Amino acid sequence: MSDNESARVVEFSIGGMTCAACSARLEKVLNRQAGMQASVNLAAERARVRLSGAADETAVVAAVGKAGFVAQVVDARTREREKADKLHSYRHDLRRFWIAVLLTVPLAGQMLFMFGEQGHERELPRWLQLLLATPVQFWIGWRFYEGAYKALRGGGANMDVLVALGTTMAWGLSAVVTIFELPQHVYFEGGAAVITLVLLGKLLEARARARTSEAIESLILLQPKTARVERDGRWVEVAVDTLMPGDIFQVRPGESVPVDGEVIDGESSIDEAMLTGESMPVRKRAGDKVFAATSNGQGAMRCRATGVGEHTLLAGIIRLVGEAQGSKAPVQRLADRVSAIFVPAVCAIALLTFVGWWLYSGEVAEALINAVAVLVIACPCALGLATPTAIMVGTGQGARAGILVKNVEALERAEKMKVLAVDKTGTLTCGLPQVTDSEARGMPAAEALRLAAALEQNSEHPLACAIVAAAADATILPVSGFKAWAGMGVEGVVAGRSLRLGAPEWLGLGGDGVAHRWQQEGKTVVVLAEGAVILAVFAVADALRPTSRAAVEGLRRQGIRVVMLTGDNPRTAAAIAAQAGIEEFRAAILPGGKASAVNELKAGGNLVGMVGDGINDAPALAAADVSFAMGAGSDAAIEAADLTLIRSDLLGVGEAISLSTATLHKIRQNLFFAFIYNVLGIPLAALGLLSPVVAGAAMAMSSVSVVSNSLLLKRWRPRNQMGQLGKFDGRR
């Protein structure tokens, strides 16, 4: 057996990563090992490793440990264990953050008087400053020392190195000045403030990561925990995870299908909306496939298991959603790459500054002060705030406009999107069947609708709900002798009349002109009959959203090619596409097919977006370069998507593109502000023209500049009327 044939992919949870530099370094370490091919996901804190040859899980854990991180094989209980551990860690760090705030506020407060005539007199006693700053530096800030040590041990440098180095030098010089009562300024407030602010950023990051697991959990909860399985001629209830391919299981009315399978006997209608996104139930009979977590109607079926455990369609979607959640932010990666070069450069400049001034002046204190000024001005406070502050303001404005931004990478890609794949049901359409047409024959239309609603009043079938909803203003009559014919219709006695309601073929109306025309338009036809007499014909369809056509026209004006993807039949798809003004569509495709369609669109070199609302859209959302979810859709789609449109309005895609462009513009400006202070300040500090006091003030001003610039995003506005995008001038 070849290595390729014996290769297997194992997923590991990774602990200890703090930035993109960590994940990149770990990925390099693993890929250097024999028999390992790894992909490390920072956001999901996961590593997927393809093992071949003699490589095994133990070797991966050992390699990860040597790189300074912790790895565990992901199993059925990993998610619950990780959730509990992360919650405990978050609460622990949150408590430490508030302690750091309490200790730092008195130190930072005295900076307000720094430039006054009596600023020195208003300083806190230096021994008190030492007592306040020391716990922040070495207790609260210990995580940065630990992260810096691991990074340096692994041959790299990250943000932790800058934080630990700069704050330690500031604290160390201040402590020496305090202990020996030297006539120099102290800088306790600078180090404490940096640690507190960076810790705040870490908490915000941890909070965002915690939310990424909610979609996976909601998907897992969809699958039933037990199944009725045939054992020695008897039906017994067993745990779903004990089923094997070939087992015979039963699905009773109203139950969910436990695993993927094939119908052996029985007949029913299955609601597959959670997989296909289509609101119309699908008729199932012997030989048809059924899928885990789909909902059975009123019939009973006996099925043979074909896919269990990780081999069900639902499990595949769960895996794809998990991969979608781990996208990396290019802008943040840029900051980490710059930091990797910036740290040794700053250290070298500080060392040269110290040696040069010592040789030039012969004063160790003056040389040390200038070297510390270099390190203080280089502290990455502004760099750490550049991205999160812009995202916080931008997403806040987006939330007011009904847009939620989750994936930072989308902020860079949305403005470059050239193709948008659009789901049909729940995205272009309302997602609920409605009675769109009716024709009464021999009786008033209102009376016919009232009789039909009486027959359907106790049914949860989507078609029944549509008819009952259409007759909401009428008094619903009681029904007796009710009977449901799986996949065909219902019958019963209403007001002394024996009535049937169902498919045209069942009631002998297959060749009717009106019914045929409605079917050609993609609508489902329901017939009301009394004996052989046809009383009325109804058309039920998922209506197009009022704004969908305008949204498609607006996107096309922006140069975006719109393609509709749907699991519905080609006839219905063609009708909806024509109504929405879409020229290109692909119909009758399952979730995997939607993802394949997105990949085909990407093959042309275009940047492709995807907008959807259901669990079935998760694979396509994962495959797209930029993904949008409708707010009224499933939690899985919302969590897998980069951006969520709370108003469930396709017009929001254009607004989201505008918001993404504005937010990314601010992030780039913030990074410029963060670096320009270092570019200008470090040479001045090295030449002795910038004291540590001014360096600390400049560092604080860089943070103020970044935050103030981010607040300018509040000027962004959504479109004021249909088809007109809100405008934002990034230069303001």
Side-chain angles (χ1 to χ4, degrees), residues 121-180:
E121 297 177 3
R122 296 186 181 184
E123 283 187 346
L124 294 175
R126 292 184 175 182
W127 62 265
L128 179 58
Q129 293 188 52
L130 177 62
L131 290 177
L132 291 172
T134 301
V136 177
Q137 183 68 44
F138 297 105
W139 177 46
I140 305 296
W142 179 252
R143 60 180 295 164
F144 301 113
Y145 287 101
E146 186 177 20
Y149 168 73
K150 290 179 179 179
L152 294 172
R153 187 181 67 177
N158 58 8
M159 299 288 284
D160 290 337
V161 174
L162 282 174
V163 174
L165 184 60
T167 58
T168 300
M169 292 300 296
W171 181 92
L173 176 61
S174 301
V176 170
V177 170
T178 300
I179 294 172
F180 293 100

Side-chain angles (χ1 to χ4, degrees), residues 293-612:
T294 55
S295 180
N296 186 29
Q298 298 173 341
M301 298 179 294
R302 198 163 64 99
C303 309
R304 178 182 293 106
T306 58
V308 299
E310 293 298 313
H311 302 287
T312 65
L313 185 59
L314 176 64
I317 293 177
I318 290 174
R319 285 193 298 272
L320 288 173
V321 172
E323 293 173 4
Q325 292 176 339
S327 58
K328 299 177 181 179
V331 177
Q332 194 59 50
R333 288 203 300 267
L334 171 63
D336 285 320
R337 286 197 299 268
V338 171
S339 296
I341 303 171
F342 189 61
V343 173
V346 169
C347 292
I349 293 171
L351 180 59
L352 290 174
T353 299
F354 175 77
V355 173
W357 277 99
W358 189 9
L359 294 175
Y360 174 74
S361 66
E363 296 288 338
V364 175
E366 185 177 6
L368 183 60
I369 289 172
N370 290 332
V372 169
V374 171
L375 293 172
V376 170
I377 193 65
C379 280
C381 186
L383 189 62
L385 292 172
T387 299
T389 54
I391 291 174
M392 288 173 66
V393 178
T395 53
Q397 289 298 100
R400 293 181 180 180
I403 303 167
L404 294 183
V405 179
K406 174 193 172 188
N407 191 338
V408 181
E409 192 166 2
L411 300 178
E412 183 174 39
R413 294 184 172 183
E415 60 181 341
K416 303 174 185 176
M417 185 174 64
K418 296 299 181 184
V419 181
L420 180 66
V422 183
D423 172 53
K424 179 182 75 69
T425 302
T427 302
L428 286 169
T429 66
C430 297
L432 291 173
Q434 302 174 18
V435 176
T436 58
D437 305 273
S438 64
E439 181 182 280
R441 301 179 179 181
M443 66 186 311
E447 179 64 18
L449 184 60
R450 194 160 74 111
L451 293 175
L455 285 173
E456 298 283 28
Q457 61 185 298
N458 296 318
S459 175
E460 295 298 326
H461 193 287
L463 292 178
C465 294
I467 291 174
V468 173
D473 296 334
T475 302
I476 305 297
L477 301 171
V479 60
S480 61
F482 177 82
K483 184 177 181 180
W485 297 87
M488 302 304 296
V490 297
E491 65 179 0
V493 178
V494 179
R497 307 176 69 169
S498 181
L499 304 173
R500 290 189 297 167
L501 181 72
E505 295 79 9
W506 185 47
L507 298 173
L509 199 68
D512 184 81
V514 173
H516 179 71
R517 185 178 77 252
W518 288 346
Q519 288 174 333
Q520 287 297 111
E521 295 174 357
K523 301 174 182 178
T524 299
V525 176
V526 181
V527 179
L528 176 67
E530 183 177 14
V533 179
I534 303 301
L535 301 180
V537 184
F538 305 97
V540 180
D542 187 5
L544 191 73
R545 292 184 186 273
T547 57
S548 291
R549 188 176 184 88
V552 171
E553 291 176 355
L555 290 167
R556 291 176 67 179
R557 284 197 300 270
Q558 290 179 283
I560 297 176
R561 170 185 163 204
V562 181
V563 181
M564 186 181 77
L565 307 179
T566 178
D568 213 337
N569 62 77
R571 185 173 58 195
T572 301
I576 294 296
Q579 294 177 38
I582 297 175
E583 299 176 355
E584 186 178 353
F585 68 87
R586 302 184 186 185
I589 53 179
L590 286 173
K594 286 187 178 183
S596 298
V598 169
N599 286 325
E600 289 175 10
L601 293 171
K602 290 168 64 177
N606 291 320
L607 195 145
V608 178
M610 170 70 191
V611 56

Side-chain angles (χ1 to χ4, degrees), residues 49 110 145 148 188 219 260 290 295 398 407 474 488 548 568 574 593 670:
V49 185
Q110 67 183 347
Y145 287 101
F188 289 118
L219 289 175
D260 289 1
V290 293
S295 180
N407 191 338
M488 302 304 296
S548 291
D568 213 337
N670 286 346

Side-chain angles (χ1 to χ4, degrees), residues 36-116:
M36 297 184 195
Q37 183 180 353
S39 174
V40 180
N41 188 315
L42 172 64
E45 297 181 316
R46 289 283 194 273
R48 292 176 62 83
V49 185
R50 180 180 296 276
L51 300 174
S52 59
D56 58 10
E57 290 87 340
T58 303
V60 174
V61 173
V64 172
K66 289 181 180 179
F69 307 101
V70 179
Q72 289 183 328
V73 177
V74 174
D75 55 29
R77 291 170 296 188
T78 298
R79 298 190 194 281
E80 287 299 322
R81 184 174 63 248
E82 282 186 331
K83 186 177 179 180
D85 291 344
K86 288 179 180 179
L87 179 60
H88 175 76
S89 177
Y90 178 80
R91 289 175 175 173
H92 179 264
D93 287 344
L94 186 61
R95 286 193 298 268
R96 289 197 171 195
F97 167 72
W98 285 115
I99 293 172
V101 169
L102 292 175
L103 295 173
T104 303
V105 165
L107 294 170
Q110 67 183 347
M111 294 178 67
L112 298 175
F113 309 104
M114 182 181 300
F115 299 105

